[in-house]
Amino acid sequence: EQKTRDSGRVDCMYQEYSAAIGIFLASTHTIFRTGLRNLLSREPDLRIVGEAGEAAETVKLIEETNPDVLLLDWPLRGLAKDGQLGGLRMLFDKTRTLLLSSGAEHVDPAEALREGAGGLVLKNSGSDMLIQGIRNLAQGQYWVGDAATADRRTAVNRAAGHIQPVQPKVFNLTARELEVVQEVVSGYSNREIADRLTISEDTVKHHLSNIFNKVGVYNRLELALFAIHHGLTRSLGRDGDSARNEE
C-alpha cells in the first residue's frame, strides 16, 4: 500500500556501516526525505536507519531502529498543532533530535532546546551545516544554527537571539505558479494537478516550464526540494486567493 511504502521504512539497505552514525529521517514530505537520504548517504560516517512521514510511525520506528540522531522536519504531520512543541517531548526523550525549520515563525529555537531538542538547523543553511550538526549531536553536544556548544543552557541562550524569521522569496512566481509548486511538493501528477486546480493538463505543463526557468531547476524533484528549502509553499497563503482567477 502506498502509505506504508512512503510514510515508514526500515530496509535491509540501512543495516550497513554499523559503526557509522545512525540517522532516522522524519518529514511529512516524501520528496524532501528522498533528497535528505541522497545527501546524507554520500557521507561514509553517516547511515540512514529508517524514515517516516508522520508522528505515530516515527515513534514506532525509532524504538525499533534506535538511531543516534533523529532528523525531524518541523512541522510533522500528526504532531504539530499551532506551532506548539510540547508534543515533541516523547521523541526528544527517545533519541537526540535535530530540528529542521524554515524559521522562527515555525519554531522558537530556545523553546525547542528547553523542551529537549539537541539542536536546530534552518532549511536555508548549507548542507555542511546540517552534516556538522548531526555529527555534533551524535557526540553529545548541542547545535544552534552554525555552531556547537557543550551544554543546554548555553545553547538556549545562543538560540534566543540567533535564529530570526525567514521571509520567503517568491522568485517572480505568479499566484497560480505558486499553487502548482504546492501541488508538486504534495506529490501530485500533472493530470491530478489539472483536476485539482480545474485547468488543463497542457496549462499545468506550461506553468511547470515557466517555473523551472524562473527558479533554475530541471525536474520535479529539484523543484520540490527547492520549494521546501526556500519556503515557497508558505508564500501561498498570501497570494492564494488571486490564484483562483488565473489560468
Side-chain angles (χ1 to χ4, degrees):
E1 191 177 357
Q2 184 68 28
K3 178 180 177 183
T4 302
R5 185 169 64 251
D6 287 345
S7 65
R9 57 189 297 175
V10 182
D11 293 345
C12 60
M13 69 177 183
Y14 294 144
Q15 305 307 316
E16 302 176 0
Y17 310 115
S18 59
I21 298 169
I23 303 166
F24 192 96
L25 305 178
S27 174
T28 299
H29 304 289
T30 304
I31 293 178
F32 190 53
R33 294 200 309 271
T34 299
L36 287 173
R37 190 189 323 127
N38 292 340
L39 170 69
L40 299 177
S41 295
R42 299 171 187 166
E43 302 297 319
D45 63 329
L46 306 180
R47 66 184 176 107
I48 310 301
V49 299
E51 61 182 72
E54 57 187 7
E57 193 99 44
T58 299
V59 173
K60 175 178 180 291
L61 292 180
I62 62 174
E63 289 179 344
E64 296 178 6
T65 58
N66 192 29
D68 299 299
V69 175
L70 167 63
L71 190 56
L72 176 60
D73 178 24
W74 181 263
L76 180 66
R77 183 172 59 228
L79 192 61
K81 182 178 180 182
D82 300 326
Q84 299 302 310
L85 290 166
L88 289 174
R89 290 179 185 171
M90 60 182 175
L91 294 177
F92 294 161
D93 289 343
K94 295 179 183 298
T95 188
R96 303 225 66 202
T97 302
L98 184 63
L99 289 176
L100 278 170
S101 173
S102 296
E105 77 280 11
H106 269 183
V107 57
D108 180 337
E111 179 190 356
L113 289 161
R114 282 193 293 266
E115 291 288 348
L120 185 143
V121 174
L122 290 180
K123 291 180 183 177
N124 66 345
S125 301
S127 59
D128 57 330
M129 292 295 99
L130 173 62
I131 292 169
Q132 287 184 43
I134 291 171
R135 288 170 176 156
N136 278 274
L137 256 70
Q139 294 171 2
Q141 295 185 310
Y142 295 86
W143 185 266
V144 180
D146 59 0
T149 182
D151 64 279
R152 187 188 304 275
R153 177 175 296 182
T154 302
V156 170
N157 291 338
R158 286 194 70 248
H162 181 80
I163 297 178
Q164 302 299 324
V166 176
Q167 298 300 324
K169 299 177 182 178
V170 296
F171 298 90
N172 202 33
L173 297 177
T174 67
R176 175 60 87 193
E177 288 169 348
L178 285 169
E179 279 199 322
V180 172
V181 169
Q182 173 68 72
E183 299 300 303
V184 170
V185 171
S186 297
Y188 293 107
S189 67
N190 286 355
R191 182 179 296 276
E192 290 170 328
I193 294 173
D195 291 341
R196 287 170 59 83
L197 299 184
T198 321
I199 57 179
S200 71
E201 192 170 352
D202 284 341
T203 300
V204 174
K205 294 177 181 177
H206 175 73
H207 284 315
L208 282 173
S209 178
N210 287 341
I211 293 166
F212 288 174
N213 288 333
K214 287 181 179 180
V215 303
V217 299
Y218 297 96
N219 56 54
R220 298 166 71 94
L221 175 59
E222 289 183 1
L223 174 60
L225 295 174
F226 182 94
I228 295 169
H229 181 81
H230 290 279
L232 289 182
T233 56
R234 291 181 290 126
S235 302
L236 187 60
R238 181 184 61 206
D239 299 325
D241 292 340
S242 61
R244 306 290 182 237
N245 299 319
E246 291 188 34
E247 175 68 13

